[in-house]
Amino acid sequence: MGGNDNDGYYCTICGGIPPDKIHIRQILVDGKATGIDKLDWIIAEVKKLHLTDDTAITEELLKRTKVLNYVPTKKTREYEKALLKEYKDSTR
């Protein structure tokens, strides 16, 4: 494995992401198990904002999710609901 914390890590053979650096968690989106990479980090970053409005929380969750994951346009609303549920479940 090559790389570092600043530039990211990569496989020195294929150039891909090393398996131990992938942090995908599955959540239900529209009733289907869907992998979200770095979901725990996304939730932690949004929590740092100390938002109280569900709309603002959802916007921030979706914004960060889209940077690291593909979110189909037609499923945006379903992703928003699922992400907000995960966020709220993590604060209990």
Side-chain angles (χ1 to χ4, degrees):
M1 177 171 65
N4 57 46
D5 285 335
N6 293 331
D7 298 326
Y9 292 93
Y10 58 91
C11 173
T12 54
I13 297 169
C14 71
I17 300 171
D20 63 329
K21 295 297 181 184
I22 297 173
H23 304 286
I24 296 175
R25 200 169 103 207
Q26 289 193 343
I27 62 172
L28 291 179
V29 176
D30 200 22
K32 295 182 179 134
T34 305
I36 305 291
D37 189 25
K38 299 196 179 4
L39 180 58
D40 294 330
W41 176 83
I42 291 167
I43 290 172
E45 288 298 302
V46 174
K47 281 182 182 179
K48 290 178 187 177
L49 300 174
H50 303 289
L51 302 171
T52 56
D53 178 59
D54 283 355
T55 302
I57 293 167
T58 302
E59 287 174 3
E60 293 298 328
L61 289 167
L62 188 62
K63 179 171 66 173
R64 286 162 176 75
T65 299
K66 284 183 170 183
V67 169
L68 301 167
N69 301 270
Y70 171 69
V71 176
T73 304
K74 291 183 179 183
K75 293 286 185 180
T76 299
R77 187 70 190 125
E78 289 82 0
Y79 271 78
E80 289 174 341
K81 290 177 189 175
L83 290 167
L84 184 60
K85 179 188 178 308
E86 288 300 312
Y87 179 88
K88 288 185 172 189
D89 287 351
S90 74
T91 59
R92 291 181 190 167

